[in-house]
Amino acid sequence: MHRYILFAGALLLVTGSNAQVEVEQLVVRPGERIENVFETEDGSLYFTGALNSEVLRLTPRGRVEVFVDSISFPQGILPYGDGFVIDSQDREPDFTAPGGFSFSGLGARLSVVNRRGRVINTLTGPDEDAFYNGMAFVGTDTLLIADPGGDRILRADLERGTVDVWLESDIIQGALGVTPPGPGARPNGLKIHDGWVYFSRGDIYRIAIGSDGMPTGTPELAAVTGGTDDFDIAADGTIFASSGDGIVMTTADGDSMPFLREGCGFCTAARVSRDGRSL
């Protein structure tokens, strides 16, 4: 089994199982923080370089190309229409603010780009505290977005050009407690699987999607990871989550175990391949 594992500054290929793995570097970008990756039908890997404000493409032949260089601090990328949607912000969070972090006034935005990487539309909102991070489609034109700035989950309608709140912070905090802003302390990664929205907030939690498309019930624990930036979910419900210098695997039954104990150098994300045989 082949697994693409993304971490700050490099893209890794891990071969094997959780019992024995071999690690190969596919891309190394010194001084970069690679945030997210997506595999297209032709086998290309598109990934975001936040610090250098680039979206790059690794072709099936192993060539690294700049796909977009006009979007500052890109975070996530997903296919949309004949191109992609990319979330980003104008600047990094303030790491010197009281309490350690400030997400206010980052200039969060969604950019729709065509297949050549040209920006054709942008969305912002709902307020200056928004910080767009992990995202997943819940419909053809509708995205859910993890927002660590507001400790909430947002909804973006790409057709109408609107961004509003899908899951309020008081519901999250009522179920999981109030946490100060910081890496992994608020919603970060986000995926949708089998009628549930999964999001990382330290560990990984989930909340059901109701028949009206809105959240129903309260968030519940889905995977104990010890602290996760981003993650992905295989078709069988297995969760692969970044955790420090390694990857934690959680089965559909809720059993967590190390998949990769070390070698990531601060893993930021993991992505299950299109054929389901790699990550």
Side-chain angles (χ1 to χ4, degrees), residues 35-36 75-76 87 131-136 144-148 152-154 172 182-192 197-206 227-233 239-242 268-271:
E35 281 286 341
N36 211 286
Q75 299 291 323
D87 62 1
F131 175 26
Y132 302 162
N133 209 317
M135 55 183 179
L144 296 184
I145 309 170
D147 174 15
R152 59 195 174 178
I153 295 175
L154 305 177
I172 292 177
R186 293 184 173 185
N188 198 325
L190 185 147
K191 299 294 183 293
I192 296 174
V197 175
Y198 290 73
F199 61 94
S200 57
R201 191 180 185 264
D203 294 317
I204 297 174
Y205 299 87
R206 69 177 189 171
T228 286
D229 186 336
D230 201 2
F231 63 97
D232 207 358
I233 306 175
I239 298 172
F240 295 92
S242 66
T268 54
R271 170 70 71 173

Side-chain angles (χ1 to χ4, degrees), residues 30-228:
E32 181 56 279
R33 188 178 74 239
I34 301 174
E35 281 286 341
N36 211 286
V37 63
F38 190 86
E39 181 187 12
T40 54
E41 291 183 1
D42 68 354
S44 295
L45 298 176
Y46 289 77
F47 54 98
T48 55
L51 298 184
N52 290 329
S53 295
E54 294 178 328
V55 179
L56 302 115
R57 172 173 53 209
L58 176 65
T59 71
R61 294 180 179 271
R63 179 179 176 180
V64 177
E65 304 169 338
V66 176
F67 177 61
V68 179
D69 61 3
S70 60
I71 296 175
S72 60
F73 298 104
Q75 299 291 323
I77 180 169
L78 289 174
Y80 176 64
D82 67 348
F84 296 88
V85 59
I86 300 165
D87 62 1
S88 63
Q89 66 269 354
D90 290 339
R91 64 175 179 83
E92 287 276 81
D94 182 0
F95 297 101
T96 64
F101 288 85
S102 173
F103 291 101
S104 180
L106 296 182
R109 70 186 66 247
L110 286 172
S111 300
V112 178
V113 304
N114 62 19
R115 67 180 64 184
R116 296 185 178 181
R118 184 173 67 86
V119 177
I120 58 178
N121 192 21
T122 59
L123 287 74
T124 62
D127 50 48
E128 69 170 12
D129 291 329
F131 175 26
Y132 302 162
N133 209 317
M135 55 183 179
F137 276 99
V138 72
T140 303
D141 300 295
T142 305
L143 280 170
L144 296 184
I145 309 170
D147 174 15
D151 202 7
R152 59 195 174 178
I153 295 175
L154 305 177
R155 176 180 57 186
D157 189 319
L158 300 181
E159 185 176 23
R160 296 182 179 180
T162 60
V163 181
D164 58 11
V165 178
W166 185 78
L167 179 62
E168 298 279 359
S169 60
D170 59 352
I171 296 177
I172 292 177
Q173 293 173 0
L176 309 180
V178 178
T179 60
R186 293 184 173 185
N188 198 325
L190 185 147
K191 299 294 183 293
I192 296 174
H193 178 77
D194 198 23
W196 294 78
V197 175
Y198 290 73
F199 61 94
S200 57
R201 191 180 185 264
D203 294 317
I204 297 174
Y205 299 87
R206 69 177 189 171
I207 187 167
I209 303 173
S211 59
D212 60 353
M214 297 302 292
T216 181
T218 57
E220 62 182 51
L221 182 66
V224 176
T225 64
T228 286

